């Protein structure tokens, strides 16, 4: 199975970038709705429809949801790429639809998506509302779960550019978790199924992004939806779509989301369970917050008349301006930065820092400055 070619053939070209709203995906859902697969199963706080897309007639029921956090759109793109495959009429599509019934909520938090926020319109993190169910979106998710009675759950998220694969200096382009079902983080039959499936996904992704797959922290929190569904006895997989080199729009990462989804269903349909699944799963390195977007090394600063050589880092903030996400770089840390990596690194070799305010960087100011008066950085990058 040529995963690269399948992605190219099925990539949904009409959606791209980081800002994905209901306006973007509603026409796609209606286009995919050729046999009454689409329904509105609830409303957001601000009255936006929450859609369910259900397709397939197989015995194994798969429940997926994306954009529970409104500013996490990469898995939504990958999900629509996968929907296109299911609608392709290919032999593979027929096999998948005969084996599985897929039930997806492609955009659980449409208000957060429009505002480009993690939380919903009531400023509640839906992934901390699985017990109290205070929000309409949380209640919709739980109602579909109870009605659909899935055999597997796929909890689809993005993670920030700060995450790397332990201390390897490699970004965590994809990370996974089989959530715990209790405080002791024990492995029961349900969690083992998720663990074995992730081990199989990882073995395939290593061919495409070697050493760029991480394992998310498995501390138990019953308020998180994945932990709750695992606690209720349904194998649940957390997907975290992260950074790929120079891919701030996450167009490369969406490919690996597609690959991971398709691989998981091939494994399940062929019962191709990984031997020593727990060991292989635990050998996936931990996700660690070790990255900044920019690191500047060996920079000379003048502070109160004292010159010293130091390092500093800058991090993008994703800011919604109009209908565009603008990446603005702000200085985030100053010091030796031991154990930290930059997606972009620059060695100043003792060049002197200057900006329009002072002769030293200041936390939270824009990363626009000069080195030795002849190298200009604007918004983190060298201005050519």
């Amino acid at each position: 199975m040529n995963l690269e070619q399948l992605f190219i053939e099925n990539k949904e070209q009409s959606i791209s970038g980081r800002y994905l709203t209901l306006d973007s995906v509603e026409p796609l859902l209606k286009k995919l709705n050729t046999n009454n697969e689409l329904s509105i199963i609830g409303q957001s706080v601000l009255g936006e429809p929450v859609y369910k897309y259900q397709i397939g007639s197989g015995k194994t029921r798969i429940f997926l949801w994306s954009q529970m956090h409104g500013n996490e759109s990469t898995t939504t793109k990958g999900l629509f790429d996968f929907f296109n495959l299911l609608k392709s009429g290919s032999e593979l599509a027929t096999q998948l639809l005969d084996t599985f019934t897929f039930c997806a909520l492609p955009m659980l938090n449409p208000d957060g998506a429009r505002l480009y926020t993690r939380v919903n319109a009531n400023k509640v993190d839906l992934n901390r509302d699985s017990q109290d169910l205070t929000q309409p979106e949380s209640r919709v998710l739980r109602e579909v779960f109870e009605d659909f009675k899935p055999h597997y759950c796929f909890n689809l998220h993005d993670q920030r550019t700060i995450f790397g694969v332990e201390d390897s200096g490699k970004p965590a382009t994809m990370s996974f978790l089989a959530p715990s079902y209790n405080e002791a983080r024990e492995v029961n039959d349900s969690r083992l199924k998720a663990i074995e499936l992730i081990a199989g996904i990882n073995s395939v992704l290593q061919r495409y992004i070697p050493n760029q797959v991480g394992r998310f922290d498995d501390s138990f929190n019953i308020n998180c939806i994945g932990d709750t569904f695992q606690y209720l006895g349904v194998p649940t997989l957390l997907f975290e779509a992260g950074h790929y080199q120079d891919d701030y729009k996450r167009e490369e990462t969406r490919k690996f989301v597609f690959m991971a989804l398709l691989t998981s269903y091939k494994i399940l349909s062929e019962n191709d369970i990984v031997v020593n699944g727990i060991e292989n799963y635990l050998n996936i390195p931990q996700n660690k917050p070790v990255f900044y977007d920019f690191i500047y090394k060996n920079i000379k600063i003048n502070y109160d008349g004292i010159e010293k050589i130091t390092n500093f880092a800058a991090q993008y903030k994703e800011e919604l301006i109009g209908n565009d996400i603008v990446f603005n770089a702000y200085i985030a840390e100053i010091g030796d930065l031991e154990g930290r990596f930059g997606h972009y690194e620059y060695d100043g070799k003792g060049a002197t820092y200057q900006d329009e305010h002072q002769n030293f960087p200041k936390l939270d100011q824009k990363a626009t400055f000069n080195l030795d008066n002849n190298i200009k950085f604007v918004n983190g990058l060298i201005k050519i």
Side-chain angles (χ1 to χ4, degrees):
M1 184 169 62
N2 188 332
L3 293 176
E4 290 268 11
Q5 186 61 35
L6 285 167
F7 172 74
I8 292 168
E9 292 171 359
N10 294 287
K11 181 180 179 181
E12 178 50 59
Q13 299 291 342
S14 69
I15 52 175
S16 61
R18 300 294 288 274
Y19 189 50
L20 207 60
T21 67
L22 198 58
D23 296 339
S24 310
V25 304
E26 209 167 28
L28 298 178
L29 287 168
K30 291 178 179 179
K31 180 181 174 183
L32 289 163
N33 185 30
T34 58
N35 194 28
N36 294 318
E37 298 101 338
L38 186 66
S39 58
I40 295 173
I41 39 85
Q43 288 187 327
S44 68
V45 171
L46 298 181
E48 296 261 34
V50 177
Y51 283 100
K52 179 181 78 171
Y53 185 70
Q54 185 166 320
I55 186 171
S57 57
K59 293 181 179 179
T60 303
R61 295 183 296 276
I62 305 292
F63 185 32
L64 314 94
W65 61 96
S66 187
Q67 268 179 285
M68 167 177 270
H69 296 141
N71 59 354
E72 298 180 1
S73 59
T74 308
T75 52
T76 307
K77 293 186 292 186
L79 196 52
F80 276 95
D81 301 334
F82 180 68
F83 290 160
N84 284 345
L85 169 62
L86 293 179
K87 279 291 187 177
S88 68
S90 67
E91 183 179 338
L92 175 59
T94 300
Q95 176 193 352
L96 291 169
L97 294 172
D98 287 346
T99 305
F100 301 102
T101 300
F102 298 99
C103 176
L105 311 184
M107 187 174 285
L108 181 62
N109 181 7
D111 298 342
R114 193 172 299 282
L115 297 169
Y116 201 69
T117 61
R118 177 181 174 89
V119 295
N120 75 345
N122 285 334
K123 301 190 184 308
V124 173
D125 184 340
L126 301 179
N127 203 26
R128 299 296 182 272
D129 192 39
S130 70
Q131 293 300 298
D132 295 337
L133 300 175
T134 64
Q135 302 305 300
E137 301 93 342
S138 306
R139 292 192 288 273
V140 163
L141 180 66
R142 185 60 176 267
E143 287 165 7
V144 175
F145 172 83
E146 292 178 349
D147 179 63
F148 185 61
K149 297 179 176 56
H151 295 107
Y152 285 86
C153 289
F154 287 74
N155 185 12
L156 306 177
H157 289 261
D158 277 38
Q159 65 181 6
R160 296 171 60 200
T161 60
I162 62 174
F163 288 103
V165 176
E166 284 194 338
D167 299 314
S168 67
K170 296 278 192 178
T173 300
M174 290 294 296
S175 294
F176 299 93
L177 174 68
S180 299
Y181 75 94
N182 64 5
E183 291 281 357
R185 298 188 278 190
E186 295 172 317
V187 176
N188 59 1
D189 289 343
S190 172
R191 191 180 183 204
L192 179 60
K193 289 180 180 179
I195 283 172
E196 290 174 333
L197 194 49
I198 290 170
I201 295 169
N202 176 59
S203 68
V204 171
L205 287 184
Q206 289 298 329
R207 303 172 201 161
Y208 300 93
I209 42 173
N211 305 312
Q212 290 182 218
V213 178
R215 178 166 51 88
F216 216 72
D217 175 67
D218 67 348
S219 299
F220 179 69
N221 183 348
I222 193 63
N223 296 307
C224 295
I225 194 66
D227 300 53
T228 291
F229 288 169
Q230 197 86 276
Y231 170 80
L232 292 172
V234 179
T236 300
L237 290 78
L238 171 68
F239 278 43
E240 293 279 354
H243 185 67
Y244 184 83
Q245 295 88 331
D246 301 319
D247 181 37
Y248 281 92
K249 293 188 176 181
R250 302 269 169 101
E251 289 302 299
E252 280 296 309
T253 301
R254 76 187 281 181
K255 173 172 66 177
F256 305 120
V257 173
F258 171 87
M259 288 179 172
L261 289 171
L262 180 52
T263 295
S264 63
Y265 307 134
K266 285 292 288 180
I267 290 170
L268 288 174
S269 66
E270 296 169 1
N271 198 29
D272 187 19
I273 303 303
V274 173
V275 177
N276 299 322
I278 292 181
E279 181 181 349
N280 290 339
Y281 173 77
L282 292 176
N283 282 335
I284 299 173
Q286 288 262 232
N287 226 25
K288 286 182 67 175
V290 293
F291 267 93
Y292 284 110
D293 291 313
F294 304 94
I295 285 182
Y296 310 95
K297 297 179 177 180
N298 302 311
I299 309 298
K300 184 187 292 183
I301 64 171
N302 189 323
Y303 187 74
D304 283 346
I306 300 173
E307 288 187 343
K308 62 179 291 189
I309 301 292
T310 191
N311 309 312
F312 65 95
Q315 189 71 19
Y316 277 134
K317 291 182 181 178
E318 299 165 29
E319 300 175 347
L320 179 60
I321 299 176
N323 287 322
D324 293 317
I325 301 304
V326 177
F327 290 82
N328 284 319
Y330 296 87
I331 294 173
E333 186 176 345
I334 305 163
D336 62 22
L337 302 180
E338 184 178 356
R340 297 287 186 163
F341 304 94
H343 295 300
Y344 170 91
E345 294 191 0
Y346 183 86
D347 188 344
K349 299 179 181 177
T352 300
Y353 175 97
Q354 293 175 316
D355 63 34
E356 60 184 22
H357 306 293
Q358 62 241 332
N359 292 324
F360 57 90
K362 187 178 180 181
L363 294 179
D364 298 321
Q365 77 180 27
K366 282 290 288 289
T368 296
F369 56 91
N370 295 330
L371 293 179
D372 280 349
N373 260 338
N374 59 8
I375 304 175
K376 187 172 181 63
F377 289 78
V378 176
N379 198 28
L381 293 168
I382 289 181
K383 184 176 182 181
I384 304 300

